[in-house]
Amino acid sequence: MPGTRPVGDARRMTTASTRTTASGPVVEVSGLRKSYGGRTVVDGVSFAVEEGEIFGILGPNGAGKTTTVECVEGLRLPDAGRIRVAGLDPVADHEAVTRVLGAQLQESELQPKLTVREALQLYAALYPSPADWRPLAERLGLTGQLATRFAQLSGGQKQRLFIALALVGNPRIVVLDELTTGLDPRARRDTWQLIEDVRARGVTVLLVTHFMEEAQRLCDRIALIDNGRIAALDTPRGLIGRAAGCTVISFTPSEPLDDEEVAALPALASVEHKDGRITLGGTDETVNAVISLLARRRITAHQLRVTDATLDDAFLDLTTT
């Protein structure tokens, strides 16, 4: 069936082949490689996702993020490497994997005449113990569109429907690829809260996103992929700490500062001049030194701002494309 793939409740499965140890990773990717037409898209990617974790995959467009998760889902055959989902091979054990893993794909379609209610009822009917689709639809703002045909939905409404279909089977693991693309800011934040609630129920979330605020808000750890390789793997705070200047100080001086004195500031990582305003990247040591320099020179810092670096800063520092 087009659209999101069926998912199931892993906790009700009884065969030994579908069990995994509680202490081990629920998703394991080792040395994954994938090429198209001689062009390497994923080049030796390795990571492990722990049970109950929100694990983010972040990177520039074309970095290999979607290809990586499509291999995890069993939608693409890797050229090399090893993947396990709840101890299962996504290709050899594909049917079993679909019972434990739900997926909201980056691009999905349903039959144009299918209504939202019919889609939710149809997907719920595929599972012996599905989630109640009614509160799920309400939480995602779809109650008013239950009688609307798929072809008549807006892009954001379609996106919310596919998120609901990925969750309606009570999956153990859910893959969300650009889940809030097309959503307005309020709907995006409501969806973030939904994902946090899903994780609170013990579901592991593999999240592909290009929204830095989304990754920083939701993810326990993030794999930053650049040119098909892992450029960094850390917590959001850990990645931010790798930014060239993890503390940013900006101000408009009442008089020009000497460039040599600014360049000599301790732990200085970056300097930007724009419209008379100075923005410096560095550490707390840099901030203290700037304040001392301004005091010695009797220069007033207008509109002084001191902030932490963001995931955007780390992204720019750690990627090349």
Side-chain angles (χ1 to χ4, degrees):
M1 177 176 294
T4 54
R5 296 190 296 111
V7 294
D9 189 348
R11 295 167 184 80
R12 296 182 180 274
M13 300 181 68
T14 58
T15 58
S17 63
T18 59
R19 295 193 186 107
T20 186
T21 60
S23 60
V26 71
V27 176
E28 298 176 89
V29 177
S30 178
L32 176 63
R33 297 181 184 274
K34 182 66 180 177
S35 299
Y36 300 114
R39 183 175 68 91
T40 299
V41 176
V42 179
D43 188 10
V45 164
S46 299
F47 60 85
V49 182
E50 300 299 325
E51 187 128 25
E53 185 175 31
I54 300 180
F55 187 91
I57 295 181
L58 193 63
N61 290 335
K65 306 185 299 296
T66 293
T67 296
T68 297
V69 297
E70 287 179 346
C71 290
V72 171
E73 295 160 346
L75 297 178
R76 295 192 183 276
L77 182 65
D79 296 332
R82 181 181 184 274
I83 301 175
R84 291 294 182 269
V85 176
L88 303 166
D89 184 319
V91 176
D93 305 312
H94 186 69
E95 183 177 350
V97 168
T98 63
R99 300 187 191 120
V100 300
L101 184 143
Q104 170 259 325
L105 308 180
Q106 191 177 62
E107 295 182 6
S108 301
E109 290 294 329
L110 293 174
Q111 291 296 326
K113 293 184 179 180
L114 199 66
T115 67
V116 171
R117 178 184 286 106
E118 289 169 341
L120 289 166
Q121 289 175 335
L122 176 61
Y123 272 70
L126 297 174
Y127 312 104
S129 218
D132 186 345
W133 60 264
R134 295 166 186 83
L136 191 58
E138 182 177 0
R139 185 64 184 272
L140 285 164
L142 292 169
T143 302
Q145 286 77 44
L146 290 177
T148 304
R149 298 185 189 279
F150 179 78
Q152 297 171 326
L153 296 175
S154 69
Q157 290 166 343
K158 289 179 179 178
Q159 189 77 341
R160 292 198 294 271
L161 174 58
F162 286 126
I163 295 170
L165 296 179
L167 296 172
V168 76
N170 281 324
R172 179 179 179 180
I173 307 153
V174 64
V175 179
L176 302 171
D177 194 348
E178 305 291 0
L179 84 160
T180 59
T181 298
L183 301 185
D184 61 55
R186 183 178 297 279
R188 180 174 295 127
R189 289 183 180 275
D190 289 344
T191 303
W192 292 350
Q193 185 60 56
L194 172 67
I195 300 310
E196 290 176 331
D197 292 347
V198 167
R199 190 267 292 277
R201 298 202 302 267
V203 178
T204 301
V205 179
L206 188 57
L207 176 67
V208 181
T209 183
H210 67 272
F211 289 115
M212 303 298 157
E213 184 183 2
E214 182 168 280
Q216 190 167 344
R217 158 78 181 266
L218 293 176
C219 296
D220 298 299
R221 290 187 300 140
I222 295 170
L224 182 57
I225 298 182
D226 188 30
N227 290 318
R229 298 181 178 182
I230 299 285
L233 200 166
D234 208 335
T235 63
R237 182 173 293 276
L239 291 177
I240 291 169
R242 301 188 193 190
C246 58
T247 301
V248 178
I249 178 170
S250 62
F251 58 93
T252 301
S254 57
E255 297 179 19
L257 282 169
D258 183 87
D259 288 342
E260 291 186 1
E261 286 188 306
V262 171
L265 290 170
L268 183 68
S270 62
V271 180
E272 179 183 347
H273 295 267
K274 185 176 182 180
D275 299 327
R277 191 167 181 79
I278 299 175
T279 301
L280 307 174
T283 66
D284 289 344
E285 185 181 5
T286 313
V287 174
N288 293 332
V290 168
I291 293 172
S292 296
L293 174 62
L294 294 171
R296 289 198 307 272
R297 297 290 178 259
R298 299 182 182 276
I299 295 174
T300 301
H302 297 290
Q303 297 179 320
L304 177 67
R305 300 285 186 274
V306 179
T307 60
D308 290 332
T310 66
L311 201 54
D312 287 275
D313 299 310
F315 180 88
L316 293 173
D317 284 342
L318 294 170
T319 59
T320 59
T321 55

Coordinates of all heavy atoms in Angstrom, one line a residue, residues 213-284:
E213 N 16.3 24.0 15.4 CA 15.5 24.1 16.7 C 14.8 22.8 17.0 O 14.8 22.5 18.2 CB 14.5 25.3 16.5 CG 13.8 25.6 17.8 CD 12.7 26.7 17.7 OE1 12.5 27.1 16.5 OE2 12.1 27.0 18.7
E214 N 14.3 22.2 16.0 CA 13.6 20.9 16.3 C 14.6 19.9 16.8 O 14.3 19.2 17.8 CB 13.0 20.4 14.9 CG 12.3 19.1 15.0 CD 11.5 18.9 13.7 OE1 10.4 19.5 13.6 OE2 12.0 18.1 12.9
A215 N 15.8 19.7 16.2 CA 16.8 18.8 16.7 C 17.2 19.1 18.1 O 17.4 18.2 18.9 CB 17.9 18.7 15.7
Q216 N 17.5 20.4 18.4 CA 17.9 20.8 19.7 C 16.9 20.6 20.7 O 17.2 20.2 21.9 CB 18.4 22.3 19.6 CG 19.1 22.8 20.9 CD 19.8 24.1 20.6 OE1 19.9 24.6 19.5 NE2 20.1 24.8 21.7
R217 N 15.6 20.8 20.4 CA 14.5 20.6 21.4 C 14.3 19.1 21.7 O 14.1 18.7 22.8 CB 13.3 21.3 20.8 CG 11.9 20.8 21.3 CD 11.6 21.3 22.7 NE 10.3 20.8 23.1 CZ 9.1 21.4 23.0 NH1 9.1 22.5 22.3 NH2 8.0 20.8 23.4
L218 N 14.3 18.3 20.6 CA 13.8 16.9 20.8 C 14.9 15.8 21.1 O 14.6 14.9 21.8 CB 13.0 16.5 19.6 CG 11.7 17.2 19.3 CD1 11.1 16.7 17.9 CD2 10.7 17.0 20.4
C219 N 16.0 16.0 20.4 CA 16.9 14.8 20.3 C 17.8 14.7 21.6 O 18.3 15.6 22.1 CB 17.8 15.0 19.1 SG 16.9 15.0 17.6
D220 N 18.0 13.4 22.0 CA 18.9 13.1 23.0 C 20.3 13.1 22.5 O 21.3 13.5 23.1 CB 18.6 11.7 23.6 CG 17.2 11.6 24.2 OD1 17.0 12.4 25.2 OD2 16.4 10.8 23.8
R221 N 20.5 12.5 21.3 CA 21.8 12.5 20.6 C 21.5 12.8 19.1 O 20.4 12.5 18.6 CB 22.5 11.2 20.7 CG 23.0 10.9 22.1 CD 23.9 9.7 22.2 NE 23.2 8.5 21.7 CZ 23.6 7.5 21.0 NH1 24.9 7.6 20.5 NH2 22.9 6.5 20.6
I222 N 22.5 13.3 18.4 CA 22.4 13.6 17.0 C 23.6 13.1 16.2 O 24.8 13.2 16.7 CB 22.3 15.1 16.8 CG1 21.1 15.7 17.4 CG2 22.4 15.5 15.3 CD1 21.0 17.2 17.4
A223 N 23.4 12.4 15.1 CA 24.4 12.0 14.2 C 24.4 13.1 13.0 O 23.4 13.2 12.4 CB 24.2 10.7 13.6
L224 N 25.5 13.8 12.9 CA 25.6 14.9 11.9 C 26.2 14.2 10.6 O 27.4 13.8 10.7 CB 26.4 16.1 12.4 CG 26.5 17.2 11.5 CD1 25.2 17.8 11.0 CD2 27.3 18.4 12.2
I225 N 25.5 14.1 9.6 CA 26.0 13.5 8.3 C 26.4 14.5 7.3 O 25.6 15.4 7.1 CB 25.0 12.5 7.7 CG1 24.7 11.4 8.7 CG2 25.5 11.9 6.4 CD1 23.7 10.3 8.2
D226 N 27.6 14.4 6.8 CA 28.1 15.4 5.8 C 28.8 14.6 4.7 O 29.7 13.8 5.0 CB 29.0 16.4 6.4 CG 29.4 17.5 5.5 OD1 28.6 17.9 4.6 OD2 30.5 18.1 5.6
N227 N 28.4 14.8 3.4 CA 29.0 14.1 2.3 C 29.0 12.5 2.5 O 29.9 11.9 2.2 CB 30.4 14.6 2.0 CG 30.4 16.0 1.5 OD1 29.6 16.3 0.6 ND2 31.3 16.8 2.0
G228 N 27.9 12.0 3.1 CA 27.7 10.6 3.2 C 28.5 10.0 4.4 O 28.4 8.8 4.6
R229 N 29.1 10.8 5.2 CA 29.8 10.3 6.4 C 29.4 11.0 7.7 O 28.9 12.1 7.6 CB 31.4 10.5 6.2 CG 31.9 9.8 5.0 CD 33.4 10.0 4.9 NE 34.0 9.3 3.7 CZ 35.3 9.3 3.4 NH1 36.1 10.0 4.2 NH2 35.7 8.6 2.4
I230 N 29.6 10.3 8.8 CA 29.3 10.9 10.1 C 30.4 11.9 10.4 O 31.6 11.6 10.6 CB 29.3 9.8 11.2 CG1 28.2 8.8 11.0 CG2 29.1 10.5 12.6 CD1 26.8 9.2 11.2
A231 N 30.0 13.2 10.4 CA 30.9 14.3 10.8 C 31.1 14.4 12.3 O 32.1 14.9 12.8 CB 30.5 15.6 10.1
A232 N 30.0 14.1 13.0 CA 30.0 14.2 14.5 C 28.8 13.4 15.0 O 27.8 13.4 14.3 CB 30.0 15.7 14.9
L233 N 29.0 12.9 16.2 CA 27.9 12.2 16.9 C 28.0 12.5 18.4 O 28.9 12.2 19.0 CB 28.0 10.7 16.7 CG 26.7 9.8 16.9 CD1 26.9 8.4 16.3 CD2 26.3 9.7 18.3
D234 N 26.9 13.2 18.8 CA 27.0 13.7 20.2 C 25.6 14.2 20.6 O 24.7 14.2 19.8 CB 28.0 14.9 20.3 CG 28.7 15.0 21.7 OD1 28.0 14.6 22.7 OD2 29.8 15.5 21.8
T235 N 25.5 14.6 21.9 CA 24.3 15.3 22.3 C 24.2 16.7 21.7 O 25.2 17.2 21.2 CB 24.3 15.4 23.9 OG1 25.4 16.3 24.2 CG2 24.5 14.1 24.6
P236 N 23.0 17.3 21.6 CA 23.0 18.6 21.1 C 23.9 19.6 21.8 O 24.6 20.4 21.2 CB 21.5 19.0 21.3 CG 20.8 17.8 21.3 CD 21.7 16.7 21.9
R237 N 24.0 19.5 23.2 CA 24.9 20.4 23.9 C 26.4 20.1 23.6 O 27.2 21.0 23.4 CB 24.7 20.2 25.4 CG 25.6 21.1 26.3 CD 25.2 21.0 27.7 NE 23.9 21.5 28.0 CZ 23.6 22.8 28.2 NH1 24.6 23.7 28.1 NH2 22.4 23.2 28.4
G238 N 26.7 18.8 23.4 CA 28.0 18.4 23.0 C 28.4 19.0 21.6 O 29.5 19.4 21.4
L239 N 27.5 18.9 20.7 CA 27.8 19.5 19.3 C 27.9 21.0 19.4 O 28.8 21.5 18.8 CB 26.6 19.1 18.4 CG 26.5 17.6 18.0 CD1 25.3 17.5 17.1 CD2 27.7 17.1 17.3
I240 N 27.1 21.6 20.2 CA 27.2 23.1 20.3 C 28.5 23.4 20.9 O 29.2 24.4 20.6 CB 26.0 23.6 21.2 CG1 24.7 23.5 20.4 CG2 26.3 25.1 21.6 CD1 23.5 23.8 21.2
G241 N 29.0 22.6 21.9 CA 30.3 22.9 22.5 C 31.5 22.8 21.5 O 32.6 23.3 21.8
R242 N 31.2 22.1 20.4 CA 32.3 22.0 19.4 C 32.3 23.2 18.4 O 33.2 23.3 17.6 CB 32.1 20.7 18.6 CG 32.1 19.4 19.4 CD 32.2 18.2 18.4 NE 31.9 17.0 19.1 CZ 32.0 15.8 18.6 NH1 32.4 15.7 17.3 NH2 31.7 14.7 19.3
A243 N 31.3 24.0 18.5 CA 31.3 25.2 17.6 C 32.5 26.1 17.9 O 33.0 26.1 19.0 CB 30.0 26.0 17.9
A244 N 32.9 26.8 16.9 CA 34.2 27.6 17.0 C 34.1 28.5 18.1 O 35.1 28.8 18.8 CB 34.4 28.3 15.6
G245 N 32.9 29.1 18.3 CA 32.7 30.0 19.5 C 31.5 29.6 20.2 O 30.4 29.9 19.7
C246 N 31.6 28.9 21.3 CA 30.4 28.4 22.0 C 29.7 29.5 22.8 O 28.7 29.3 23.3 CB 30.8 27.2 22.9 SG 32.0 27.5 24.1
T247 N 30.3 30.7 22.9 CA 29.7 31.9 23.5 C 29.8 33.0 22.5 O 30.9 33.2 21.9 CB 30.3 32.3 24.9 OG1 30.3 31.2 25.7 CG2 29.7 33.5 25.5
V248 N 28.7 33.8 22.3 CA 28.7 34.8 21.4 C 28.5 36.1 22.1 O 27.5 36.2 22.9 CB 27.7 34.6 20.3 CG1 27.6 35.8 19.3 CG2 27.9 33.3 19.5
I249 N 29.3 37.2 21.8 CA 29.1 38.5 22.4 C 29.0 39.5 21.3 O 29.8 39.5 20.4 CB 30.2 38.9 23.4 CG1 30.0 40.3 24.0 CG2 31.6 38.7 22.8 CD1 31.0 40.6 25.1
S250 N 28.0 40.3 21.3 CA 27.8 41.3 20.3 C 27.4 42.7 20.9 O 26.7 42.7 21.9 CB 26.7 40.9 19.3 OG 25.5 40.8 19.9
F251 N 27.9 43.7 20.3 CA 27.6 45.1 20.8 C 28.0 46.1 19.7 O 28.8 45.8 18.8 CB 28.4 45.3 22.1 CG 29.9 45.2 21.9 CD1 30.7 46.3 21.6 CD2 30.5 43.9 22.0 CE1 32.1 46.1 21.5 CE2 31.9 43.8 21.9 CZ 32.7 44.9 21.6
T252 N 27.6 47.3 19.9 CA 28.0 48.5 19.1 C 28.8 49.4 20.0 O 28.3 50.0 20.9 CB 26.7 49.2 18.6 OG1 25.9 48.3 17.8 CG2 27.1 50.4 17.7
P253 N 30.1 49.5 19.7 CA 31.0 50.3 20.6 C 30.7 51.8 20.3 O 30.5 52.2 19.2 CB 32.4 49.9 20.1 CG 32.2 49.4 18.7 CD 30.9 48.8 18.6
S254 N 30.9 52.6 21.4 CA 30.7 54.1 21.2 C 31.8 54.7 20.4 O 31.7 55.8 19.8 CB 30.6 54.7 22.6 OG 31.7 54.4 23.4
E255 N 33.0 54.0 20.4 CA 34.1 54.4 19.6 C 34.8 53.1 19.0 O 34.6 52.1 19.6 CB 35.2 55.1 20.5 CG 34.7 56.4 21.1 CD 35.8 57.0 22.0 OE1 37.0 56.6 21.8 OE2 35.5 57.8 22.9
P256 N 35.4 53.3 17.9 CA 36.0 52.1 17.3 C 37.1 51.4 18.2 O 37.8 52.1 18.9 CB 36.7 52.6 16.0 CG 36.0 53.9 15.7 CD 35.6 54.5 17.1
L257 N 37.1 50.1 18.1 CA 38.1 49.3 18.9 C 39.3 49.1 18.0 O 39.2 48.9 16.8 CB 37.5 48.0 19.3 CG 36.6 48.0 20.6 CD1 35.9 46.7 20.7 CD2 37.4 48.4 21.8
D258 N 40.5 49.0 18.6 CA 41.7 48.6 17.8 C 41.6 47.2 17.4 O 41.4 46.3 18.2 CB 42.9 48.9 18.7 CG 44.2 48.6 18.0 OD1 44.7 49.6 17.3 OD2 44.7 47.5 18.0
D259 N 41.8 46.9 16.1 CA 41.7 45.6 15.5 C 42.8 44.6 16.2 O 42.5 43.5 16.4 CB 41.9 45.6 14.0 CG 40.7 46.2 13.3 OD1 39.7 46.3 13.9 OD2 40.9 46.6 12.1
E260 N 43.9 45.1 16.4 CA 45.0 44.3 17.0 C 44.6 43.9 18.4 O 44.9 42.7 18.8 CB 46.3 45.0 17.0 CG 46.9 45.2 15.6 CD 48.3 45.8 15.6 OE1 48.8 46.0 16.7 OE2 48.9 46.0 14.5
E261 N 44.0 44.8 19.2 CA 43.6 44.4 20.5 C 42.5 43.4 20.5 O 42.4 42.5 21.4 CB 43.1 45.7 21.3 CG 44.3 46.6 21.7 CD 43.8 47.7 22.6 OE1 42.9 48.5 22.2 OE2 44.4 47.9 23.7
V262 N 41.5 43.6 19.6 CA 40.5 42.6 19.4 C 41.0 41.2 19.1 O 40.7 40.2 19.6 CB 39.4 43.1 18.4 CG1 38.4 41.9 18.1 CG2 38.7 44.3 18.9
A263 N 41.9 41.2 18.1 CA 42.5 39.9 17.6 C 43.3 39.2 18.8 O 43.5 38.0 18.7 CB 43.4 40.2 16.5
A264 N 43.8 40.0 19.7 CA 44.6 39.4 20.8 C 43.7 38.9 22.0 O 44.3 38.3 23.0 CB 45.6 40.4 21.4
L265 N 42.4 39.0 21.9 CA 41.5 38.5 23.0 C 41.7 37.0 23.1 O 41.8 36.3 22.2 CB 40.1 38.8 22.6 CG 39.7 40.3 22.7 CD1 38.3 40.5 22.1 CD2 39.7 40.9 24.1
P266 N 41.7 36.5 24.4 CA 41.9 35.1 24.6 C 40.7 34.3 24.1 O 39.6 34.7 24.2 CB 42.1 35.0 26.1 CG 41.3 36.2 26.7 CD 41.6 37.3 25.6
A267 N 41.0 33.1 23.6 CA 40.0 32.1 23.1 C 39.1 32.7 22.1 O 38.0 32.1 21.9 CB 39.2 31.6 24.3
L268 N 39.5 33.7 21.4 CA 38.7 34.3 20.3 C 38.6 33.3 19.1 O 39.6 32.8 18.6 CB 39.3 35.6 19.9 CG 38.5 36.4 18.8 CD1 37.2 36.9 19.4 CD2 39.3 37.6 18.3
A269 N 37.4 33.0 18.7 CA 37.2 32.1 17.6 C 36.8 32.8 16.3 O 37.1 32.3 15.2 CB 36.2 31.0 17.9
S270 N 36.1 33.9 16.4 CA 35.6 34.6 15.2 C 35.3 36.0 15.5 O 35.0 36.4 16.7 CB 34.3 33.9 14.7 OG 33.3 34.0 15.6
V271 N 35.4 36.8 14.5 CA 35.1 38.3 14.6 C 34.3 38.7 13.3 O 34.6 38.3 12.2 CB 36.4 39.1 14.6 CG1 36.1 40.6 14.7 CG2 37.3 38.7 15.7
E272 N 33.2 39.4 13.6 CA 32.4 39.9 12.5 C 32.1 41.4 12.7 O 31.6 41.8 13.8 CB 31.1 39.1 12.3 CG 30.2 39.6 11.2 CD 28.9 38.8 11.1 OE1 28.8 37.8 11.8 OE2 28.0 39.3 10.4
H273 N 32.3 42.2 11.7 CA 31.9 43.6 11.8 C 30.8 43.9 10.8 O 30.9 43.5 9.6 CB 33.1 44.5 11.4 CG 34.2 44.4 12.3 ND1 34.4 45.3 13.4 CD2 35.3 43.6 12.4 CE1 35.5 45.0 14.1 NE2 36.1 44.0 13.5
K274 N 29.7 44.5 11.2 CA 28.6 44.8 10.3 C 27.8 46.0 10.8 O 27.3 46.0 11.9 CB 27.6 43.6 10.2 CG 26.5 43.8 9.2 CD 25.7 42.5 9.0 CE 24.6 42.7 8.0 NZ 23.7 41.5 7.9
D275 N 27.7 47.0 10.0 CA 27.0 48.2 10.3 C 27.4 48.8 11.6 O 26.5 49.2 12.4 CB 25.5 47.9 10.3 CG 25.0 47.5 8.9 OD1 25.6 47.9 7.9 OD2 24.0 46.7 8.9
G276 N 28.7 48.8 11.9 CA 29.2 49.4 13.2 C 29.1 48.4 14.4 O 29.5 48.8 15.5
R277 N 28.5 47.3 14.2 CA 28.3 46.3 15.3 C 29.4 45.2 15.2 O 29.7 44.8 14.1 CB 26.9 45.7 15.3 CG 26.6 44.9 16.5 CD 25.1 44.6 16.6 NE 24.7 43.9 17.8 CZ 24.5 44.4 19.0 NH1 24.7 45.8 19.1 NH2 24.2 43.7 20.0
I278 N 29.9 44.8 16.4 CA 30.9 43.8 16.4 C 30.3 42.5 17.1 O 29.6 42.6 18.1 CB 32.1 44.2 17.3 CG1 32.7 45.5 16.7 CG2 33.1 43.1 17.4 CD1 33.9 46.0 17.5
T279 N 30.5 41.4 16.4 CA 30.1 40.1 17.0 C 31.3 39.2 17.1 O 32.0 39.0 16.2 CB 29.0 39.4 16.1 OG1 27.9 40.3 15.9 CG2 28.6 38.1 16.7
L280 N 31.5 38.7 18.3 CA 32.7 37.9 18.6 C 32.2 36.5 19.1 O 31.3 36.4 19.9 CB 33.5 38.5 19.7 CG 34.0 40.0 19.5 CD1 34.7 40.5 20.7 CD2 34.9 40.1 18.3
G281 N 32.9 35.5 18.6 CA 32.7 34.1 19.1 C 33.9 33.7 19.9 O 35.0 33.9 19.5
G282 N 33.6 33.1 21.1 CA 34.7 32.7 21.9 C 34.2 31.9 23.1 O 33.3 31.0 23.0
T283 N 34.7 32.2 24.3 CA 34.3 31.5 25.5 C 34.0 32.5 26.6 O 34.1 33.7 26.3 CB 35.4 30.5 26.0 OG1 36.5 31.4 26.4 CG2 35.8 29.6 24.9
D284 N 33.7 32.1 27.8 CA 33.5 33.0 28.9 C 34.7 33.9 29.1 O 34.7 35.0 29.5 CB 33.1 32.3 30.2 CG 31.7 31.7 30.1 OD1 30.9 32.1 29.2 OD2 31.4 30.8 30.9

